[in-house]
Amino acid sequence: MGNRLETAAGRSPERHAEMVYTGADLLTDTLVRLGADRVFNITGLGMLGLGRSLLNRRNEISYVSHLNETNLTMMAQGYARQTGKPTFCIVYHASGTALAMMSVTTAWADNIPMVLLSTTGARTTSGRDQYAATPRSLTEMSTQFTKWNYDITTPERIPEILARAWEIASTPPMGPVHISIPSDLFDIELSGPVPREDFARLRSFDSPSADPTGLAEAEKLLRNAERPVLLCGSEVGRLRATDQMLALAEALGAPVLSEQDPSFLGFPTGHAQYVGTPAANAALLAEADVALAIGYEFTEKGMPGEAPMLRETTKLVTLSADPMLLSKQLWPDLALHGHPGPSLRSLTELFSDTPLPKADRDRNLATCTGPRDARSAAIADADALPGNQSPVPQKKLIREVYRQCGDDWIVIQAGSTLGWHLEAMYDFDDPLNFHAVSGKGSAQGWGAPTAMGMQMGAPDRRVLALLGDGNLMFSATCLWGAVQYDLPVVFVVNNNQGWVCVPDAIDAVYDMNTADPEREAMAWTWGGAPIDFTGFARSLGLEAERVATADDFAACLEKARTSRKPWLIEVIGE
């Protein structure tokens, strides 16, 4: 039989002509050689050979498992979101792939480089409705949401396909890739040199700037504008172009707006030129004559009476690394295709060579004053709310998190009603400390497992997840993993006893006032169900407390903040 692939930690084995190894060994070795430092997997029947291989190499590539594939893959995309590197997640047949699909859709929506590998039935029984059967290709399940799909058919092609998946997922615009592997490949034995091992020689560089002629036209439009605005999309933060965005904004003095529902922030929200979201700045946008949108999603909600974000007379310039984003929702006057980092740097240099006249820059800065003053006043009102009030006002909760965690912590926003306040109540001087699901995605249950994956990706930082009670109920079993992997995440659960965002939105859109009995009848509230998040968290090994006032929350958060253990704080909130 020869020697199976078993090596000491920290090095890949030297290949010998007589060495015998399996398809599973080849897969594991490829991940190690690609530089993947973690693999996410739940081992099931048909994957035992893979489990053996990952066990043997666990000192070279960390192994992360969980109780179900939804939580597992949410953790994986959280890890990829934080590190910016592709994450490999290996799931079980059709059922595991179906459970992973919510993670695939969010990875698509937020451009996260995740590689999903689905084990499928053995080739010898394919098409016979065998155990854990798939009628056709398993990758058909994800085709709409992935950059590339492929069904591996021979073990020799495993290195080539996984290396290609790594590159495709991580090249802007980043996104998920889905690969299927027949289960019998894991135990097929091979010998001799590894096929297509030459992928390890690749050094990839990819950050092309937009065309200079187009950048010059954009510079002219912005220079001649009387009411310019800068629309900073999630792509700016995701592709780490925040410094370049800041330099351009300060050269122009123009107000900066985020997306309405950003997945990343690309501009510090405490900056004097940051004015907030489109919903809070409708009047400013109505007066804009030129708008530069950088990696910006003009995501429509599809609600009755929804109006375009910009008026038709506004000159729109779009810049993105994603060609699909240049003219998708609003038709631009000028479209620039390029990575935001070098493109914004080149655009800013045009203003450095010939600075904007001081009078024009001062005029642009003046348009930021009103929105900034309103923001400051709203924060002051929140800070002035009494600390003994119950239920705890959401604005007060967020302000307390900011007071204690400030810009040191990574904050995940996964509460529907909390999300209405976080961007306005929290100054992210480092915008990369903010994370949420974009307006393109919809993923209840996303927050807690994603926070855990991000904590894995930032072991020297601390992560806090702001969760709605409904959001956590989708994925509450994930809390087990926080203890299993010793992740010091702080989960703050706003328990307002239901899907309050739903009836509140209905009331707002249709000018109604739904009463509590009506909300309970529609299952928009939990009714009399004594849901005990604190008790559940404690049963899984977390530290946990329930608080009913902001003062109590402050004291509890201080304990959680100074601890290095996973914590859950259940807040009786609005």
Side-chain angles (χ1 to χ4, degrees), residues 70 74 77 81 98-111 145 261-263 299-301 413-416 436-447 450 470-471 474 499 501-502:
T70 303
M74 285 294 185
Q77 61 88 26
R81 171 188 285 265
L99 288 169
M101 277 303 299
M102 187 165 72
S103 301
V104 174
T105 63
T106 55
W108 164 79
D110 296 347
N111 293 104
F145 298 98
D261 297 297
S263 55
T299 309
E300 300 101 336
K301 296 290 188 184
Q413 193 290 106
S416 298
V437 174
S438 73
K440 287 171 60 178
S442 177
Q444 289 291 350
W446 171 89
T450 295
N471 195 289
F474 262 74
W499 298 108
C501 60
V502 175

Side-chain angles (χ1 to χ4, degrees), residues 29-233:
D29 192 44
T30 301
L31 297 185
V32 171
R33 290 171 184 268
L34 282 171
D37 46 16
R38 291 178 193 267
V39 59
F40 294 76
N41 168 245
I42 297 175
T43 301
L45 188 64
M47 303 170 72
L48 301 181
L50 177 63
R52 174 207 56 81
S53 178
L54 293 172
L55 174 65
N56 288 339
R57 303 291 291 278
R58 65 189 182 280
N59 292 327
E60 295 174 78
I61 181 168
S62 296
Y63 181 78
V64 180
S65 191
H66 212 280
L67 302 175
N68 65 63
E69 286 84 357
T70 303
N71 284 336
L72 178 81
T73 51
M74 285 294 185
M75 290 169 62
Q77 61 88 26
Y79 187 78
R81 171 188 285 265
Q82 177 61 34
T83 62
K85 293 173 55 177
T87 304
F88 284 87
C89 196
I90 309 173
V91 300
Y92 177 75
H93 291 57
S95 58
T97 303
L99 288 169
M101 277 303 299
M102 187 165 72
S103 301
V104 174
T105 63
T106 55
W108 164 79
D110 296 347
N111 293 104
I112 305 301
M114 183 175 79
V115 180
L116 180 70
L117 288 84
S118 294
T119 297
T120 188
R123 293 170 299 172
T124 54
T125 57
S126 177
R128 296 180 184 170
D129 292 345
Q130 71 282 2
Y131 171 75
T134 304
R136 297 188 300 275
S137 167
L138 194 53
T139 59
E140 290 183 30
M141 198 180 295
S142 64
T143 301
Q144 297 183 74
F145 298 98
T146 51
K147 292 182 69 177
W148 186 53
N149 297 59
Y150 192 79
D151 300 310
I152 298 177
T153 56
T154 63
E156 291 82 5
R157 297 202 65 190
I158 289 174
E160 170 197 349
I161 299 305
L162 295 192
R164 188 176 176 189
W166 174 285
E167 291 300 321
I168 291 173
S170 59
T171 300
M174 296 182 291
V177 168
H178 188 191
I179 306 298
S180 76
I181 300 180
S183 59
D184 59 304
L185 297 193
F186 292 141
D187 291 304
I188 289 180
E189 294 187 345
L190 303 96
S191 62
V194 175
R196 289 306 303 268
E197 200 174 30
D198 58 342
F199 69 82
R201 73 186 186 188
L202 174 66
R203 297 173 65 230
S204 180
F205 298 86
D206 181 59
S207 60
S209 178
D211 183 80
T213 302
L215 290 171
E217 289 192 30
E219 182 258 350
K220 182 178 180 180
L221 283 170
L222 291 167
R223 185 179 294 278
N224 294 328
E226 295 184 0
R227 303 282 290 189
V229 296
L230 298 176
L231 306 177
C232 181

